[in-house]
Amino acid sequence: MVRKTKEEAGVTRCHIIEAARRVFLECGVGRTSLEKIAAAAGVTRGAVYWHFKNKTELFFAMREEAVLPFLDRVVFDSADDDPLGGIERAIHEIIRILIDQPRTRETFDILTFKCEYVDEFSPMVACTEGQLDFLDRLTDAYGRARERGQLRLPADPQALAYDTFLFIGGLIRHWLAATADQPFRVDAEAFIRTHIALRRA
Amino acid sequence: MVRKTKEEAGVTRCHIIEAARRVFLECGVGRTSLEKIAAAAGVTRGAVYWHFKNKTELFFAMREEAVLPFLDRVVFDSADDDPLGGIERAIHEIIRILIDQPRTRETFDILTFKCEYVDEFSPMVACTEGQLDFLDRLTDAYGRARERGQLRLPADPQALAYDTFLFIGGLIRHWLAATADQPFRVDAEAFIRTHIALRRA
DNA sequence: GTTTATACAAACATGAATGTATGTAAATAG
DNA sequence: CTATTTACATACATTCATGTTTGTATAAAC
């Protein structure tokens, strides 16, 4: 047993989180044992219990890693000359992130399909603060689009934001569930264009 | 040990399915043991194993009971004078079903939040045949709406159907996740009206 | 340079869930 | 009326996962 330096221990911790993500994705959170995670990370359960209190804590550590950078990347520029186009670009950006960030995609996949929202996980079903914040910023963006006369009337920014929010929720879910050759992946960009075209003046 | 008549056995079977639904909803499918279900149904595991091969089979039996009647109730009348209104009414009907059919609502809740789509459950992530059929009928309805000049242009029925399909998916999910006093429940009807208004000529 | 805390591996104890096998009283078939 | 199946309850065997405890080599603190 060669004791690791502090830096090496950090690496081990990362390996465990990566392994957890892979196993969660394959087995589902409920059917994932810490033994499976440890094996996938090339360590023993001892290492896992050293870095994390239990599976739940490990799960939330994994989630944090992917969700926070995600929200940072989807932004609406309030000084944008073309707010409606900005909304469209933001939605395209969401799909782009799912395509080229495997960790984010896998984490969303786990959160959407491989996790049961009961007991310690049940608080997660409600809209997160991040989601509500997103809704607010979306409403603002539609407000600016209306000021610029980009929207066909009647155009209540709040109502439009909710419609778009629900659209995005459905889109992410079906995009994740689809295989690479199915409509929800192939035509996602077209769906986004249609969605925005419906509200353009 | 009083042996039951064939009819009584059928009742027992129903009780087990009802109990399973309740426990699935509370504990999640993965954390639900057959012992819990049996206790909730007032029988022993022996009875459960007599009527069902295992938890998976019981789960699918429960699902079937709720999903089939649901699809039957959401229909588009192809002879409707007002196809676009028909689409709107169909979406309202979905929410109506969730409100006044607890079994359907609870089953959808389980399917959406209390079940991990791995192994024997993974086929369920893909769009079901029922959903694809719904999409087709939705496309047809939009086609008829276009013929009647109800849609603002450009109006590709297929594209509109997908946008509505994604909207409905998001709506159901957030409606289920919300508490009775939150926007996604309180304003669901308004969201539906907005969604349809966006495509009206 | 000694002490102490760290980063694990290995062993242990416990509990829970599963599937199966067996028992049985009464319904039902003949 | 007897034989057989049905509809369960009960008991058993086995497998896993969990959390904790102990051991230990070494990095780091002093």
Side-chain angles (χ1 to χ4, degrees):
Chain A
M1 184 61 278
V2 188
R3 167 164 178 203
K4 309 289 182 59
T5 166
K6 196 165 282 188
E7 198 184 352
E8 289 171 320
V11 172
T12 300
R13 196 190 125 100
C14 284
H15 284 340
I16 293 173
I17 290 182
E18 293 293 308
R21 197 195 322 282
R22 292 200 306 274
V23 184
F24 284 154
L25 189 65
E26 196 198 325
C27 308
V29 176
R31 293 183 180 184
T32 293
S33 66
L34 293 184
E35 174 61 38
K36 281 181 188 168
I37 293 175
V43 296
T44 66
R45 269 172 50 240
V48 178
Y49 274 107
W50 172 256
H51 287 283
F52 306 95
K53 191 185 159 205
N54 52 33
K55 191 166 75 178
T56 302
E57 202 182 287
L58 173 50
F59 173 85
F60 282 105
M62 180 213 69
R63 183 178 88 122
E64 202 109 336
E65 257 197 9
V67 172
L68 296 183
F70 176 82
L71 290 174
D72 288 342
R73 254 187 77 172
V74 181
V75 291
F76 306 103
D77 177 10
S78 61
D80 200 330
D81 251 7
D82 173 19
L84 188 56
I87 294 171
E88 179 168 358
R89 282 190 296 278
I91 307 176
H92 282 296
E93 175 70 2
I94 291 174
I95 299 300
R96 176 56 37 203
I97 294 172
L98 294 179
I99 291 173
D100 58 42
Q101 292 190 3
R103 284 192 195 95
T104 305
R105 176 180 62 249
E106 289 167 13
T107 305
F108 273 65
D109 198 330
I110 293 165
L111 289 171
T112 309
F113 298 115
K114 277 79 187 283
C115 172
E116 297 179 1
Y117 292 83
V118 291
D119 303 333
E120 65 269 34
F121 300 106
S122 57
M124 293 196 308
V125 291
C127 276
T128 62
E129 209 176 320
Q131 284 184 318
L132 293 176
D133 183 56
F134 178 82
L135 236 175
D136 284 344
R137 289 181 289 133
L138 196 52
T139 305
D140 288 347
Y142 272 123
R144 291 192 299 276
R146 183 174 60 176
E147 285 171 19
R148 308 252 172 168
Q150 291 190 300
L151 302 178
R152 83 188 196 96
L153 304 174
D156 170 25
Q158 173 98 345
L160 291 176
Y162 271 110
D163 190 69
T164 297
F165 184 76
L166 293 176
F167 166 77
I168 293 174
L171 182 64
I172 293 178
R173 167 158 245 244
H174 286 282
W175 191 94
L176 288 171
T179 55
D181 60 320
Q182 287 178 332
F184 287 113
R185 292 249 174 146
V186 177
D187 303 321
E189 315 280 318
F191 295 161
I192 297 170
R193 280 195 301 276
T194 296
H195 182 81
I196 297 297
L198 278 169
R199 44 210 82 204
R200 196 163 265 140
Chain B
M1 182 63 277
V2 189
R3 161 155 185 213
K4 309 292 183 56
T5 166
K6 194 167 282 188
E7 199 184 352
E8 289 171 320
V11 172
T12 301
R13 197 189 123 100
C14 284
H15 284 341
I16 292 172
I17 291 182
E18 293 293 308
R21 196 194 324 281
R22 291 200 305 274
V23 184
F24 284 153
L25 189 65
E26 195 198 326
C27 307
V29 177
R31 293 183 180 184
T32 293
S33 67
L34 292 186
E35 173 61 37
K36 281 181 189 168
I37 293 175
V43 296
T44 66
R45 268 171 51 236
V48 178
Y49 275 107
W50 172 256
H51 287 283
F52 307 95
K53 191 184 158 203
N54 51 34
K55 192 166 75 179
T56 302
E57 202 182 285
L58 173 51
F59 172 86
F60 282 105
M62 179 213 70
R63 185 178 87 122
E64 203 108 334
E65 256 197 10
V67 172
L68 297 183
F70 176 82
L71 290 174
D72 288 342
R73 255 187 78 171
V74 182
V75 291
F76 307 104
D77 176 11
S78 62
D80 199 329
D81 252 7
D82 173 19
L84 188 57
I87 294 171
E88 179 168 355
R89 283 189 296 278
I91 307 176
H92 282 297
E93 175 71 2
I94 291 174
I95 298 299
R96 176 58 32 205
I97 293 172
L98 294 179
I99 291 173
D100 58 43
Q101 291 191 3
R103 284 192 196 96
T104 305
R105 176 181 61 248
E106 288 167 13
T107 305
F108 273 64
D109 198 331
I110 293 165
L111 289 171
T112 308
F113 299 115
K114 276 67 186 285
C115 172
E116 298 180 2
Y117 292 83
V118 291
D119 302 332
E120 66 269 35
F121 300 105
S122 57
M124 292 196 309
V125 291
C127 276
T128 63
E129 210 177 319
Q131 285 184 318
L132 293 176
D133 183 55
F134 177 81
L135 237 175
D136 284 344
R137 290 182 290 134
L138 196 52
T139 305
D140 289 347
Y142 272 122
R144 290 194 297 276
R146 184 174 60 178
E147 285 171 19
R148 309 252 172 167
Q150 293 190 300
L151 303 178
R152 81 189 197 95
L153 304 174
D156 170 25
Q158 173 100 350
L160 291 177
Y162 271 109
D163 190 69
T164 297
F165 185 76
L166 294 175
F167 167 77
I168 294 174
L171 181 64
I172 293 178
R173 169 160 244 244
H174 286 281
W175 192 94
L176 287 172
T179 55
D181 60 321
Q182 287 177 331
F184 287 113
R185 293 247 173 148
V186 177
D187 303 321
E189 314 281 316
F191 296 160
I192 297 170
R193 280 196 300 275
T194 297
H195 182 81
I196 296 297
L198 279 169
R199 45 211 81 203
R200 195 162 266 138

